[in-house]
Amino acid sequence: MSEDTMFALTRPAYVGHAHLVVEDLPKVSAFYQKIIGLSVIEKSANGEVLGVSGKPLLTLTAGQNARRAPSGAAGLFHTAFLLPSREDLALWLKHAANNNVPLQGASDHLVSEALYLADPEGNGIEVYRDRAPQEWSYQPDGTVAMSTLRLDLQALYDSAPKATFATAAEGTAIGHIHLQVGDIPQADAFYQDVLGLKIMARYPGASFFGAGAYHHHVAANIWNSRGAQARSDSMTGLSGYTLRFNEKASLDSALAALDRLEIATERQSDGVALKDPWGIGLKLSA
């Protein structure tokens, strides 16, 4: 695995883990195992932790009295699984085709190539690979050139190795998480001014936030959710995610901003828990 592949994870901060509340745990878990290639690492009475090579990436919890979140609710737009190489992406595409998995989209974003789908309960998923950062184009202000161009699926499929997909490639990680929020200026204020992520790109109705010149670790849009209020605890979908810090100074700066703005936090053994302006759980950890 190259340093380029790991670029997203070597930045001052990166997304480590996501937590979904679901209605049908066995069905959703089976999907992430069979289709995404995750493995069960841990089981409890009402949930499972899935990951790759023993590294936890996704927690699924069967919510008691959970109700399906409406499409316009704040929460998850997609969880983005970053694969180590284009070869891995091509092999996954062949696997998806062989299992008749319907794709919702396929895009060349200049910095990456991405495939889009949803799990059985409608939680969005992106499966992607990054181009080498040396191939990205940065603007004078530090933002990165991104676009949404057609991805040639046939060419990608034809490039797949002869191997059979069994499990997600070692090194697969959550490269970023894309959120539905109620207001973009409010998202900018929270993710940039409080958590210290930099706005790396803007689309109409969306901002992309990254650490250490990565194209984005967190994105927020209002395409379906303009004006959305805080999530209720009984909703299915994204309960929360973890933002891990490789640099103590970046973590300390975020914690100082939370204290200064009197944003409620809870110190836990593995980090500091809080909720964003839309009730999405967030854990900051070293």
Side-chain angles (χ1 to χ4, degrees), residues 223-240:
W223 299 331
N224 303 314
S225 55
R226 183 188 299 271
Q229 301 302 304
R231 292 173 55 83
S232 72
D233 291 338
S234 61
M235 284 182 179
T236 60
L238 184 65
S239 172

Side-chain angles (χ1 to χ4, degrees), residues 5-11 13-18 55 57 78-84 112 126-130 136 171-178 197 209-211 214-219 241-243:
T5 300
M6 299 299 293
F7 188 72
L9 309 183
T10 59
R11 305 300 86 203
Y14 67 97
V15 176
H17 182 267
K55 178 182 178 181
L57 297 180
H78 60 239
T79 305
F81 293 95
L82 174 61
L83 306 190
S112 63
E126 175 181 339
V127 179
Y128 77 114
R129 71 98 183 183
D130 276 333
W136 305 354
T172 295
I174 295 180
H176 66 266
I177 198 151
H178 194 146
L197 302 179
F209 309 94
Y214 188 60
H215 55 75
H216 66 295
H217 290 99
V218 179
Y241 62 100
T242 299
L243 197 61

Side-chain angles (χ1 to χ4, degrees), residues 26-282:
K27 183 177 183 179
V28 177
S29 178
F31 178 89
Y32 281 98
Q33 291 178 63
K34 179 180 180 181
I35 303 304
I36 305 301
L38 305 185
S39 301
V40 177
I41 295 173
E42 185 181 319
K43 285 191 176 188
S44 65
N46 66 337
E48 295 181 359
V49 178
L50 308 177
V52 176
S53 302
K55 178 182 178 181
L57 297 180
L58 182 68
T59 294
L60 301 175
T61 301
Q64 292 185 340
N65 304 315
R67 59 183 181 85
R68 189 71 62 91
S71 60
L76 185 69
F77 191 66
H78 60 239
T79 305
F81 293 95
L82 174 61
L83 306 190
S85 70
R86 192 174 201 265
E87 186 177 72
D88 292 317
L89 185 65
L91 182 61
W92 183 85
L93 174 61
K94 185 171 74 171
H95 167 68
N98 290 342
N99 284 277
N100 298 312
V101 177
L103 297 182
Q104 297 176 332
S107 298
D108 182 336
H109 292 304
L110 302 182
V111 295
S112 63
E113 293 178 305
L115 306 172
Y116 298 93
L117 64 156
D119 74 16
E121 295 192 3
N123 296 297
I125 297 169
E126 175 181 339
V127 179
Y128 77 114
R129 71 98 183 183
D130 276 333
R131 288 192 169 90
Q134 295 87 341
E135 299 178 62
W136 305 354
S137 296
Y138 289 96
Q139 310 300 333
D141 64 358
T143 59
V144 66
M146 293 175 63
S147 187
T148 301
L149 309 176
R150 177 182 170 273
L151 179 62
D152 188 336
L153 280 176
Q154 189 62 54
L156 181 63
Y157 180 93
D158 291 344
S159 73
K162 300 299 184 185
T164 299
F165 180 94
T167 60
E170 184 174 354
T172 295
I174 295 180
H176 66 266
I177 198 151
H178 194 146
L179 308 173
Q180 294 193 159
V181 301
D183 181 72
I184 292 301
Q186 193 175 7
D188 292 350
F190 182 77
Y191 286 99
Q192 179 173 246
D193 302 339
V194 178
L195 296 187
L197 302 179
K198 176 179 168 53
I199 295 177
M200 294 301 296
R202 291 188 187 275
Y203 280 25
S207 290
F208 296 78
F209 309 94
Y214 188 60
H215 55 75
H216 66 295
H217 290 99
V218 179
N221 78 63
I222 56 168
W223 299 331
N224 303 314
S225 55
R226 183 188 299 271
Q229 301 302 304
R231 292 173 55 83
S232 72
D233 291 338
S234 61
M235 284 182 179
T236 60
L238 184 65
S239 172
Y241 62 100
T242 299
L243 197 61
R244 298 195 183 280
F245 288 81
N246 289 319
E247 293 184 358
K248 185 175 184 298
S250 298
L251 175 57
D252 289 346
S253 177
L255 295 177
L258 292 168
D259 288 342
R260 185 173 65 250
L261 297 170
E262 299 182 345
I263 295 172
T265 61
E266 180 186 347
R267 303 273 173 160
Q268 298 180 349
S269 60
D270 57 347
V272 176
L274 64 144
K275 290 192 174 181
D276 78 2
W278 296 278
I280 300 167
L282 179 59

